[in-house]
mmCIF file of all heavy atoms in Angstrom:
data_model
loop_
_atom_site.group_PDB
_atom_site.id
_atom_site.type_symbol
_atom_site.label_atom_id
_atom_site.label_comp_id
_atom_site.label_asym_id
_atom_site.label_seq_id
_atom_site.Cartn_x
_atom_site.Cartn_y
_atom_site.Cartn_z
ATOM 1 N N ILE A 29 0.849 -1.207 -0.004
ATOM 2 C CA ILE A 29 -0.004 0.009 0.004
ATOM 3 C C ILE A 29 0.881 1.249 0.000
ATOM 4 O O ILE A 29 1.745 1.396 0.847
ATOM 5 C CB ILE A 29 -0.937 0.004 1.219
ATOM 6 C CG1 ILE A 29 -1.820 -1.244 1.211
ATOM 7 C CG2 ILE A 29 -1.808 1.269 1.231
ATOM 8 C CD1 ILE A 29 -2.705 -1.372 2.451
ATOM 9 N N ASN A 30 0.607 2.138 -0.949
ATOM 10 C CA ASN A 30 1.389 3.375 -1.077
ATOM 11 C C ASN A 30 0.435 4.566 -0.985
ATOM 12 O O ASN A 30 0.413 5.429 -1.861
ATOM 13 C CB ASN A 30 2.161 3.357 -2.393
ATOM 14 C CG ASN A 30 3.079 4.569 -2.523
ATOM 15 O OD1 ASN A 30 3.489 5.148 -1.517
ATOM 16 N ND2 ASN A 30 3.404 4.940 -3.739
ATOM 17 N N ASP A 31 -0.376 4.590 0.074
ATOM 18 C CA ASP A 31 -1.406 5.624 0.197
ATOM 19 C C ASP A 31 -1.631 5.911 1.688
ATOM 20 O O ASP A 31 -2.307 5.141 2.371
ATOM 21 C CB ASP A 31 -2.691 5.167 -0.471
ATOM 22 C CG ASP A 31 -3.781 6.226 -0.479
ATOM 23 O OD1 ASP A 31 -3.594 7.273 0.155
ATOM 24 O OD2 ASP A 31 -4.817 5.989 -1.119
ATOM 25 N N LEU A 32 -1.070 7.014 2.169
ATOM 26 C CA LEU A 32 -1.221 7.358 3.588
ATOM 27 C C LEU A 32 -2.664 7.654 3.959
ATOM 28 O O LEU A 32 -3.097 7.357 5.084
ATOM 29 C CB LEU A 32 -0.320 8.531 3.946
ATOM 30 C CG LEU A 32 1.097 8.229 4.378
ATOM 31 C CD1 LEU A 32 1.871 9.517 4.631
ATOM 32 C CD2 LEU A 32 1.123 7.364 5.638
ATOM 33 N N ARG A 33 -3.398 8.222 3.058
ATOM 34 C CA ARG A 33 -4.816 8.529 3.367
ATOM 35 C C ARG A 33 -5.618 7.238 3.587
ATOM 36 O O ARG A 33 -6.504 7.203 4.428
ATOM 37 C CB ARG A 33 -5.464 9.344 2.261
ATOM 38 C CG ARG A 33 -4.852 10.729 2.073
ATOM 39 C CD ARG A 33 -5.635 11.557 1.095
ATOM 40 N NE ARG A 33 -6.857 12.064 1.709
ATOM 41 C CZ ARG A 33 -7.802 12.710 1.025
ATOM 42 N NH1 ARG A 33 -7.659 12.921 -0.281
ATOM 43 N NH2 ARG A 33 -8.885 13.158 1.633
ATOM 44 N N ARG A 34 -5.282 6.222 2.845
ATOM 45 C CA ARG A 34 -5.935 4.919 3.031
ATOM 46 C C ARG A 34 -5.519 4.274 4.340
ATOM 47 O O ARG A 34 -6.318 3.609 5.001
ATOM 48 C CB ARG A 34 -5.583 4.012 1.835
ATOM 49 C CG ARG A 34 -6.147 2.602 1.929
ATOM 50 C CD ARG A 34 -5.722 1.792 0.722
ATOM 51 N NE ARG A 34 -6.007 0.384 0.889
ATOM 52 C CZ ARG A 34 -5.624 -0.558 0.041
ATOM 53 N NH1 ARG A 34 -4.947 -0.231 -1.057
ATOM 54 N NH2 ARG A 34 -5.894 -1.840 0.264
ATOM 55 N N LEU A 35 -4.264 4.454 4.710
ATOM 56 C CA LEU A 35 -3.738 3.785 5.908
ATOM 57 C C LEU A 35 -4.029 4.523 7.211
ATOM 58 O O LEU A 35 -4.075 3.893 8.274
ATOM 59 C CB LEU A 35 -2.214 3.629 5.782
ATOM 60 C CG LEU A 35 -1.719 2.559 4.803
ATOM 61 C CD1 LEU A 35 -0.211 2.655 4.640
ATOM 62 C CD2 LEU A 35 -2.095 1.158 5.308
ATOM 63 N N MET A 36 -4.252 5.833 7.160
ATOM 64 C CA MET A 36 -4.346 6.593 8.388
ATOM 65 C C MET A 36 -5.442 6.118 9.335
ATOM 66 O O MET A 36 -5.224 6.076 10.563
ATOM 67 C CB MET A 36 -4.493 8.080 8.081
ATOM 68 C CG MET A 36 -4.086 8.984 9.230
ATOM 69 S SD MET A 36 -2.355 8.759 9.805
ATOM 70 C CE MET A 36 -1.412 9.299 8.385
ATOM 71 N N PRO A 37 -6.633 5.714 8.854
ATOM 72 C CA PRO A 37 -7.621 5.161 9.797
ATOM 73 C C PRO A 37 -7.122 3.911 10.527
ATOM 74 O O PRO A 37 -7.462 3.713 11.703
ATOM 75 C CB PRO A 37 -8.819 4.840 8.905
ATOM 76 C CG PRO A 37 -8.679 5.764 7.733
ATOM 77 C CD PRO A 37 -7.202 5.880 7.499
ATOM 78 N N TYR A 38 -6.318 3.105 9.853
ATOM 79 C CA TYR A 38 -5.745 1.914 10.493
ATOM 80 C C TYR A 38 -4.724 2.322 11.549
ATOM 81 O O TYR A 38 -4.671 1.724 12.637
ATOM 82 C CB TYR A 38 -5.085 1.003 9.458
ATOM 83 C CG TYR A 38 -6.058 0.377 8.483
ATOM 84 C CD1 TYR A 38 -6.329 0.979 7.256
ATOM 85 C CD2 TYR A 38 -6.720 -0.810 8.790
ATOM 86 C CE1 TYR A 38 -7.226 0.405 6.360
ATOM 87 C CE2 TYR A 38 -7.597 -1.403 7.904
ATOM 88 C CZ TYR A 38 -7.866 -0.776 6.693
ATOM 89 O OH TYR A 38 -8.741 -1.348 5.820
ATOM 90 N N PHE A 39 -3.907 3.317 11.239
ATOM 91 C CA PHE A 39 -2.953 3.813 12.232
ATOM 92 C C PHE A 39 -3.680 4.317 13.471
ATOM 93 O O PHE A 39 -3.290 4.014 14.603
ATOM 94 C CB PHE A 39 -2.097 4.946 11.632
ATOM 95 C CG PHE A 39 -0.936 4.473 10.815
ATOM 96 C CD1 PHE A 39 -0.780 4.881 9.479
ATOM 97 C CD2 PHE A 39 0.034 3.646 11.335
ATOM 98 C CE1 PHE A 39 0.296 4.460 8.724
ATOM 99 C CE2 PHE A 39 1.125 3.200 10.586
ATOM 100 C CZ PHE A 39 1.249 3.637 9.263
ATOM 101 N N ALA A 40 -4.725 5.093 13.259
ATOM 102 C CA ALA A 40 -5.463 5.654 14.395
ATOM 103 C C ALA A 40 -6.133 4.553 15.212
ATOM 104 O O ALA A 40 -6.116 4.577 16.435
ATOM 105 C CB ALA A 40 -6.491 6.664 13.896
ATOM 106 N N ALA A 41 -6.745 3.570 14.514
ATOM 107 C CA ALA A 41 -7.415 2.467 15.216
ATOM 108 C C ALA A 41 -6.411 1.651 16.032
ATOM 109 O O ALA A 41 -6.697 1.237 17.165
ATOM 110 C CB ALA A 41 -8.124 1.575 14.223
ATOM 111 N N ALA A 42 -5.219 1.431 15.478
ATOM 112 C CA ALA A 42 -4.202 0.678 16.209
ATOM 113 C C ALA A 42 -3.669 1.473 17.382
ATOM 114 O O ALA A 42 -3.316 0.900 18.420
ATOM 115 C CB ALA A 42 -3.067 0.310 15.246
ATOM 116 N N ALA A 43 -3.608 2.796 17.225
ATOM 117 C CA ALA A 43 -3.044 3.646 18.290
ATOM 118 C C ALA A 43 -4.018 3.846 19.442
ATOM 119 O O ALA A 43 -3.577 4.111 20.571
ATOM 120 C CB ALA A 43 -2.656 5.012 17.705
ATOM 121 N N ARG A 44 -5.305 3.727 19.168
ATOM 122 C CA ARG A 44 -6.331 4.099 20.172
ATOM 123 C C ARG A 44 -6.080 3.510 21.571
ATOM 124 O O ARG A 44 -6.109 4.228 22.565
ATOM 125 C CB ARG A 44 -7.729 3.723 19.665
ATOM 126 C CG ARG A 44 -8.833 3.962 20.677
ATOM 127 C CD ARG A 44 -10.196 3.921 20.041
ATOM 128 N NE ARG A 44 -10.678 5.256 19.738
ATOM 129 C CZ ARG A 44 -11.323 5.606 18.651
ATOM 130 N NH1 ARG A 44 -11.588 4.697 17.722
ATOM 131 N NH2 ARG A 44 -11.730 6.844 18.483
ATOM 132 N N PRO A 45 -5.814 2.223 21.730
ATOM 133 C CA PRO A 45 -5.613 1.695 23.091
ATOM 134 C C PRO A 45 -4.280 2.118 23.725
ATOM 135 O O PRO A 45 -4.114 2.037 24.940
ATOM 136 C CB PRO A 45 -5.637 0.167 22.900
ATOM 137 C CG PRO A 45 -6.155 -0.053 21.520
ATOM 138 C CD PRO A 45 -5.756 1.154 20.736
ATOM 139 N N TYR A 46 -3.308 2.536 22.911
ATOM 140 C CA TYR A 46 -1.954 2.711 23.418
ATOM 141 C C TYR A 46 -1.445 4.150 23.353
ATOM 142 O O TYR A 46 -0.375 4.437 23.910
ATOM 143 C CB TYR A 46 -1.003 1.854 22.574
ATOM 144 C CG TYR A 46 -1.390 0.389 22.510
ATOM 145 C CD1 TYR A 46 -1.838 -0.168 21.304
ATOM 146 C CD2 TYR A 46 -1.340 -0.435 23.624
ATOM 147 C CE1 TYR A 46 -2.209 -1.491 21.218
ATOM 148 C CE2 TYR A 46 -1.701 -1.752 23.558
ATOM 149 C CZ TYR A 46 -2.146 -2.293 22.351
ATOM 150 O OH TYR A 46 -2.514 -3.607 22.282
ATOM 151 N N LEU A 47 -2.151 5.060 22.731
ATOM 152 C CA LEU A 47 -1.642 6.424 22.550
ATOM 153 C C LEU A 47 -1.374 7.078 23.901
ATOM 154 O O LEU A 47 -2.239 7.154 24.756
ATOM 155 C CB LEU A 47 -2.650 7.255 21.756
ATOM 156 C CG LEU A 47 -2.185 8.640 21.305
ATOM 157 C CD1 LEU A 47 -1.009 8.526 20.361
ATOM 158 C CD2 LEU A 47 -3.316 9.404 20.647
ATOM 159 N N GLY A 48 -0.129 7.541 24.064
ATOM 160 C CA GLY A 48 0.244 8.176 25.328
ATOM 161 C C GLY A 48 0.514 7.210 26.464
ATOM 162 O O GLY A 48 0.806 7.630 27.575
ATOM 163 N N GLN A 49 0.401 5.898 26.195
ATOM 164 C CA GLN A 49 0.613 4.884 27.213
ATOM 165 C C GLN A 49 1.993 4.259 27.027
ATOM 166 O O GLN A 49 2.771 4.660 26.159
ATOM 167 C CB GLN A 49 -0.474 3.793 27.109
ATOM 168 C CG GLN A 49 -1.883 4.333 27.099
ATOM 169 C CD GLN A 49 -2.276 5.046 28.368
ATOM 170 O OE1 GLN A 49 -1.994 4.560 29.479
ATOM 171 N NE2 GLN A 49 -2.891 6.205 28.248
ATOM 172 N N ASP A 50 2.281 3.253 27.865
ATOM 173 C CA ASP A 50 3.547 2.528 27.759
ATOM 174 C C ASP A 50 3.223 1.086 27.420
ATOM 175 O O ASP A 50 2.639 0.358 28.235
ATOM 176 C CB ASP A 50 4.324 2.618 29.070
ATOM 177 C CG ASP A 50 5.779 2.176 28.901
ATOM 178 O OD1 ASP A 50 6.027 1.274 28.065
ATOM 179 O OD2 ASP A 50 6.657 2.732 29.579
ATOM 180 N N THR A 51 3.567 0.654 26.199
ATOM 181 C CA THR A 51 3.263 -0.719 25.773
ATOM 182 C C THR A 51 4.248 -1.727 26.360
ATOM 183 O O THR A 51 3.971 -2.936 26.335
ATOM 184 C CB THR A 51 3.300 -0.832 24.243
ATOM 185 O OG1 THR A 51 4.585 -0.367 23.767
ATOM 186 C CG2 THR A 51 2.208 0.026 23.616
ATOM 187 N N GLY A 52 5.378 -1.251 26.878
ATOM 188 C CA GLY A 52 6.368 -2.182 27.430
ATOM 189 C C GLY A 52 7.192 -2.870 26.379
ATOM 190 O O GLY A 52 8.315 -3.320 26.643
ATOM 191 N N MET A 53 6.656 -3.026 25.190
ATOM 192 C CA MET A 53 7.353 -3.643 24.058
ATOM 193 C C MET A 53 6.574 -3.279 22.796
ATOM 194 O O MET A 53 5.444 -2.770 22.861
ATOM 195 C CB MET A 53 7.397 -5.174 24.200
ATOM 196 C CG MET A 53 6.032 -5.834 24.119
ATOM 197 S SD MET A 53 6.094 -7.631 24.280
ATOM 198 C CE MET A 53 6.355 -7.772 26.033
ATOM 199 N N ALA A 54 7.193 -3.536 21.655
ATOM 200 C CA ALA A 54 6.484 -3.305 20.408
ATOM 201 C C ALA A 54 5.383 -4.355 20.251
ATOM 202 O O ALA A 54 5.592 -5.536 20.539
ATOM 203 C CB ALA A 54 7.449 -3.370 19.211
ATOM 204 N N ARG A 55 4.210 -3.917 19.821
ATOM 205 C CA ARG A 55 3.073 -4.818 19.633
ATOM 206 C C ARG A 55 2.592 -4.740 18.206
ATOM 207 O O ARG A 55 2.702 -3.712 17.544
ATOM 208 C CB ARG A 55 1.953 -4.447 20.596
ATOM 209 C CG ARG A 55 2.347 -4.544 22.065
ATOM 210 C CD ARG A 55 1.203 -4.107 22.991
ATOM 211 N NE ARG A 55 1.604 -4.168 24.384
ATOM 212 C CZ ARG A 55 1.487 -5.238 25.159
ATOM 213 N NH1 ARG A 55 0.988 -6.353 24.646
ATOM 214 N NH2 ARG A 55 1.886 -5.215 26.409
ATOM 215 N N THR A 56 2.020 -5.855 17.725
ATOM 216 C CA THR A 56 1.464 -5.880 16.382
ATOM 217 C C THR A 56 -0.064 -5.961 16.472
ATOM 218 O O THR A 56 -0.608 -6.837 17.133
ATOM 219 C CB THR A 56 1.983 -7.099 15.593
ATOM 220 O OG1 THR A 56 3.408 -7.016 15.472
ATOM 221 C CG2 THR A 56 1.383 -7.131 14.195
ATOM 222 N N VAL A 57 -0.706 -5.002 15.823
ATOM 223 C CA VAL A 57 -2.176 -4.942 15.804
ATOM 224 C C VAL A 57 -2.633 -5.297 14.406
ATOM 225 O O VAL A 57 -2.180 -4.686 13.425
ATOM 226 C CB VAL A 57 -2.672 -3.547 16.198
ATOM 227 C CG1 VAL A 57 -4.205 -3.496 16.159
ATOM 228 C CG2 VAL A 57 -2.153 -3.164 17.591
ATOM 229 N N LYS A 58 -3.509 -6.298 14.280
ATOM 230 C CA LYS A 58 -4.027 -6.725 12.970
ATOM 231 C C LYS A 58 -5.438 -6.199 12.803
ATOM 232 O O LYS A 58 -6.299 -6.418 13.662
ATOM 233 C CB LYS A 58 -4.004 -8.254 12.888
ATOM 234 C CG LYS A 58 -2.614 -8.859 13.015
ATOM 235 C CD LYS A 58 -2.670 -10.376 12.970
ATOM 236 C CE LYS A 58 -1.290 -10.990 13.170
ATOM 237 N NZ LYS A 58 -1.344 -12.473 13.158
ATOM 238 N N LEU A 59 -5.676 -5.529 11.687
ATOM 239 C CA LEU A 59 -6.978 -4.924 11.425
ATOM 240 C C LEU A 59 -7.398 -5.219 9.996
ATOM 241 O O LEU A 59 -6.556 -5.400 9.114
ATOM 242 C CB LEU A 59 -6.919 -3.402 11.631
ATOM 243 C CG LEU A 59 -6.533 -2.917 13.043
ATOM 244 C CD1 LEU A 59 -6.087 -1.465 13.002
ATOM 245 C CD2 LEU A 59 -7.704 -3.105 13.994
ATOM 246 N N ASN A 60 -8.699 -5.228 9.761
ATOM 247 C CA ASN A 60 -9.206 -5.341 8.394
ATOM 248 C C ASN A 60 -10.277 -4.274 8.167
ATOM 249 O O ASN A 60 -10.724 -3.650 9.133
ATOM 250 C CB ASN A 60 -9.762 -6.764 8.126
ATOM 251 C CG ASN A 60 -10.872 -7.122 9.079
ATOM 252 O OD1 ASN A 60 -11.939 -6.511 9.052
ATOM 253 N ND2 ASN A 60 -10.663 -8.120 9.932
ATOM 254 N N PRO A 61 -10.682 -4.042 6.926
ATOM 255 C CA PRO A 61 -11.587 -2.928 6.638
ATOM 256 C C PRO A 61 -12.905 -2.969 7.404
ATOM 257 O O PRO A 61 -13.502 -1.918 7.668
ATOM 258 C CB PRO A 61 -11.834 -3.044 5.125
ATOM 259 C CG PRO A 61 -10.630 -3.755 4.617
ATOM 260 C CD PRO A 61 -10.229 -4.716 5.695
ATOM 261 N N SER A 62 -13.378 -4.166 7.750
ATOM 262 C CA SER A 62 -14.654 -4.280 8.458
ATOM 263 C C SER A 62 -14.512 -4.278 9.963
ATOM 264 O O SER A 62 -15.515 -4.421 10.690
ATOM 265 C CB SER A 62 -15.385 -5.559 8.026
ATOM 266 O OG SER A 62 -14.611 -6.720 8.341
ATOM 267 N N ASP A 63 -13.281 -4.108 10.459
ATOM 268 C CA ASP A 63 -13.077 -4.084 11.906
ATOM 269 C C ASP A 63 -13.812 -2.895 12.501
ATOM 270 O O ASP A 63 -13.687 -1.765 12.010
ATOM 271 C CB ASP A 63 -11.578 -4.005 12.198
ATOM 272 C CG ASP A 63 -11.257 -4.308 13.643
ATOM 273 O OD1 ASP A 63 -11.701 -3.541 14.526
ATOM 274 O OD2 ASP A 63 -10.577 -5.305 13.899
ATOM 275 N N PRO A 64 -14.572 -3.085 13.586
ATOM 276 C CA PRO A 64 -15.310 -1.969 14.193
ATOM 277 C C PRO A 64 -14.414 -0.806 14.571
ATOM 278 O O PRO A 64 -14.843 0.358 14.500
ATOM 279 C CB PRO A 64 -15.952 -2.621 15.446
ATOM 280 C CG PRO A 64 -16.066 -4.067 15.111
ATOM 281 C CD PRO A 64 -14.882 -4.390 14.250
ATOM 282 N N ALA A 65 -13.181 -1.100 14.987
ATOM 283 C CA ALA A 65 -12.261 -0.030 15.384
ATOM 284 C C ALA A 65 -11.908 0.857 14.184
ATOM 285 O O ALA A 65 -11.747 2.072 14.339
ATOM 286 C CB ALA A 65 -10.988 -0.618 15.994
ATOM 287 N N VAL A 66 -11.827 0.248 13.009
ATOM 288 C CA VAL A 66 -11.546 1.016 11.800
ATOM 289 C C VAL A 66 -12.807 1.731 11.307
ATOM 290 O O VAL A 66 -12.762 2.903 10.908
ATOM 291 C CB VAL A 66 -10.985 0.104 10.683
ATOM 292 C CG1 VAL A 66 -10.742 0.864 9.393
ATOM 293 C CG2 VAL A 66 -9.687 -0.566 11.151
ATOM 294 N N MET A 67 -13.913 1.041 11.343
ATOM 295 C CA MET A 67 -15.176 1.617 10.891
ATOM 296 C C MET A 67 -15.551 2.862 11.705
ATOM 297 O O MET A 67 -16.125 3.816 11.187
ATOM 298 C CB MET A 67 -16.300 0.586 10.978
ATOM 299 C CG MET A 67 -16.086 -0.629 10.103
ATOM 300 S SD MET A 67 -16.262 -0.276 8.336
ATOM 301 C CE MET A 67 -18.028 -0.060 8.238
ATOM 302 N N ALA A 68 -15.183 2.831 12.987
ATOM 303 C CA ALA A 68 -15.537 3.952 13.857
ATOM 304 C C ALA A 68 -14.719 5.207 13.552
ATOM 305 O O ALA A 68 -15.131 6.317 13.858
ATOM 306 C CB ALA A 68 -15.324 3.572 15.321
ATOM 307 N N ILE A 69 -13.584 5.002 12.916
ATOM 308 C CA ILE A 69 -12.667 6.132 12.637
ATOM 309 C C ILE A 69 -12.780 6.595 11.207
ATOM 310 O O ILE A 69 -12.724 7.809 10.925
ATOM 311 C CB ILE A 69 -11.223 5.742 12.949
ATOM 312 C CG1 ILE A 69 -11.060 5.571 14.473
ATOM 313 C CG2 ILE A 69 -10.230 6.767 12.427
ATOM 314 C CD1 ILE A 69 -9.721 5.042 14.890
ATOM 315 N N ARG A 70 -12.958 5.653 10.284
ATOM 316 C CA ARG A 70 -12.954 6.010 8.855
ATOM 317 C C ARG A 70 -14.040 7.031 8.557
ATOM 318 O O ARG A 70 -15.188 6.880 8.982
ATOM 319 C CB ARG A 70 -13.175 4.752 8.013
ATOM 320 C CG ARG A 70 -13.169 5.049 6.529
ATOM 321 C CD ARG A 70 -13.410 3.786 5.718
ATOM 322 N NE ARG A 70 -12.233 2.930 5.733
ATOM 323 C CZ ARG A 70 -12.342 1.611 5.889
ATOM 324 N NH1 ARG A 70 -13.480 1.043 6.075
ATOM 325 N NH2 ARG A 70 -11.236 0.884 5.879
ATOM 326 N N PRO A 71 -13.720 8.090 7.813
ATOM 327 C CA PRO A 71 -14.714 9.121 7.507
ATOM 328 C C PRO A 71 -15.783 8.604 6.551
ATOM 329 O O PRO A 71 -15.591 7.669 5.839
ATOM 330 C CB PRO A 71 -13.863 10.232 6.850
ATOM 331 C CG PRO A 71 -12.652 9.525 6.327
ATOM 332 C CD PRO A 71 -12.386 8.372 7.264
#
């Protein structure tokens, strides 16, 4: 994928639980277009 506008809702959905927090380690978040976390953010 070479489109930041397409990816930004996924970035925001992945960041939601951890933004400003301490994850303790790098974590991998898997999302798909129908994920409620993405649907709630996508314009």
Side-chain angles (χ1 to χ4, degrees):
I29 302 175
N30 185 24
D31 184 352
L32 271 177
R33 296 188 76 187
R34 177 181 169 187
L35 286 172
M36 201 58 66
Y38 293 94
F39 278 123
R44 175 166 262 140
Y46 307 111
L47 189 63
Q49 308 297 315
D50 195 326
T51 56
M53 66 179 76
R55 300 177 181 272
T56 300
V57 179
K58 299 178 183 179
L59 299 163
N60 59 65
S62 61
D63 194 296
V66 177
M67 297 290 287
I69 291 174
R70 180 181 288 137

